[in-house]
Amino acid sequence: MRAYRKRPWAALVVDMTPLIDVIFLIIIFFIILINFSQVHIRNVVLPNASQGYQSDDSNKQKMLITIKSKDEIYLEGTQMSLADMGPAIVRKHPRGSDVTALMRADEEVPYELIKLVMLKLATLNIDKVQFATWEGELTPLAESVTANPPLDRQVSE
Amino acid sequence: MKLKFQQSGVKRRLAVSMTPLIDVVFLLMVFFLMTINFEKPELVLENRLPQLGVEASEDPSKDWETVELHIEMARQGGQLRLFLEERALDSYAELLDYLALLPDDILVVIDAADDVPYKHVIGVYNTCLQASKQEIVFSVAG
């Protein structure tokens, strides 16, 4: 009679517990890290330019103005109307002349809106303005066939 | 009679522990997610706004030298065009050629119509910088 030695045999079992632990840890980490409202504000299609340069922010007091449309103007991440912008700037930067305004405006925004913001800055003695751009070829003038509707019409729509 | 000798060596099953591998993979993933920047690098074009209430003639010696060039941007028959003095231009290349003939210290005034998209105003401003023009202002009239 042949005697077989019984060998201990264990099936390959993948323990999912640490995997799930790590995945959830990562998910929680990124949920805490990402502020979705800021993602929306930063999501702007900037105009292309070839003469732009990397701004040296080390010794400049910056004020970020994001313009997505007539109804979406943000000052330092806070949404506000054009009328409320002046008092808000004065509150944040009482000595206007020391600050540089960084304008991140959508490329399709009508110039009228940019003009009004620049006028507001000028009245508050903020004369240093930077326009945020992306490195790239300029959009040819011929590609702009449809006109932007005037601001008062945009509001009523 | 033939005797069979069975090899009595102990065979061990190769058990691959996945836990440290997954730990390391996820650690690397977190590291790369934190270091990679998905955003396009942003560059800036700088401009100094004229201060309201302060006349440009603070330095009277410069008054007589200032030569202005008005670049008007408006639509003509649905097409966005640039108007310089008596000329109408249809491209940035034409504008660059025109500006190249003018002195660098000329005052360039960009006067865009309200409905002109911002990208084209930046396009004109960019072309003026490309042509080494130092004094560029935006008209806020109208």
Side-chain angles (χ1 to χ4, degrees):
Chain A
M1 201 178 153
R2 203 183 280 178
Y4 285 100
R5 193 147 40 118
K6 216 175 181 182
R7 289 195 195 108
W9 188 82
L12 181 70
V13 178
V14 179
D15 186 6
M16 297 293 282
T17 319
L19 174 77
I20 294 164
D21 281 358
V22 172
I23 289 172
F24 275 93
L25 202 77
I26 291 166
I27 290 170
I28 290 165
F29 172 77
F30 282 106
I31 285 173
I32 292 168
L33 195 78
I34 296 169
N35 185 346
F36 289 100
S37 61
Q38 294 302 311
V39 170
H40 171 71
I41 294 167
R42 282 205 65 79
N43 196 10
V44 175
V45 182
L46 298 176
N48 283 350
S50 61
Q51 300 297 305
Y53 63 90
Q54 198 79 46
S55 173
D56 175 29
D57 297 342
S58 54
N59 51 2
K60 273 184 185 167
Q61 206 187 342
K62 283 268 175 87
M63 178 176 64
L64 179 65
I65 300 170
T66 307
I67 305 167
K68 297 187 83 173
S69 68
K70 165 79 175 87
D71 304 316
E72 277 192 282
I73 301 172
Y74 302 87
L75 177 71
E76 310 276 27
T78 311
Q79 190 168 6
M80 62 183 64
S81 69
L82 203 58
D84 297 336
M85 195 183 243
I89 292 173
V90 173
R91 267 198 308 277
K92 285 188 178 179
H93 305 281
R95 293 181 65 210
S97 54
D98 295 341
V99 73
T100 302
L102 172 62
M103 247 203 267
R104 295 185 76 253
D106 192 282
E107 63 171 12
E108 294 297 340
V109 160
Y111 178 64
E112 184 181 10
L113 195 53
I114 306 293
K115 194 169 75 175
L116 291 172
V117 172
M118 287 202 289
L119 203 58
K120 186 116 339 201
L121 293 173
T123 53
L124 297 169
N125 287 329
I126 297 169
D127 61 339
K128 294 183 274 289
V129 179
Q130 291 181 336
F131 305 105
T133 61
W134 284 334
E135 173 92 61
E137 290 285 311
L138 300 178
T139 315
L141 288 172
E143 281 184 23
S144 180
V145 178
T146 51
N148 275 313
L151 285 182
D152 49 351
R153 229 178 71 201
Q154 278 188 19
V155 173
S156 63
E157 280 168 4
Chain B
M1 194 181 163
K2 209 175 177 183
L3 277 173
K4 267 191 180 174
F5 289 99
Q6 259 194 330
Q7 219 177 344
S8 62
V10 181
K11 276 189 184 170
R12 282 186 190 161
R13 219 160 236 286
L14 184 68
V16 181
S17 173
M18 298 291 283
T19 318
L21 174 75
I22 292 164
D23 281 356
V24 171
V25 167
F26 276 95
L27 201 76
L28 288 172
M29 207 175 82
V30 170
F31 172 76
F32 285 112
L33 280 174
M34 287 180 78
T35 51
I36 289 173
N37 187 5
F38 292 101
E39 287 182 355
K40 266 175 143 179
E42 285 181 17
L43 306 175
V44 296
L45 297 174
E46 209 161 51
N47 185 258
R48 272 196 174 254
L49 300 177
Q51 286 189 299
L52 293 183
V54 179
E55 287 298 315
S57 57
E58 277 202 333
D59 183 2
S61 63
K62 279 197 162 183
D63 269 8
W64 62 276
E65 292 174 358
T66 308
V67 182
E68 283 189 16
L69 172 72
H70 272 261
I71 303 175
E72 281 185 47
M73 301 177 73
R75 285 173 200 281
Q76 197 177 50
Q79 173 67 52
L80 189 62
R81 303 186 86 183
L82 307 174
F83 300 94
L84 296 95
E85 291 155 2
E86 299 300 310
R87 299 184 60 178
L89 308 177
D90 293 320
S91 70
Y92 296 122
E94 286 177 60
L95 176 64
L96 187 62
D97 291 343
Y98 187 90
L99 291 171
L101 303 171
L102 302 171
D104 289 348
D105 59 350
I106 192 171
L107 176 69
V108 181
V109 181
I110 300 172
D111 187 4
D114 287 347
D115 64 340
V116 172
Y118 172 59
K119 61 183 173 186
H120 294 305
V121 180
I122 288 294
V124 170
Y125 184 54
N126 183 82
T127 309
C128 293
L129 291 173
Q130 209 175 341
S132 306
K133 299 294 166 269
Q134 292 140 14
E135 299 284 330
I136 309 159
V137 293
F138 293 93
S139 169
V140 289

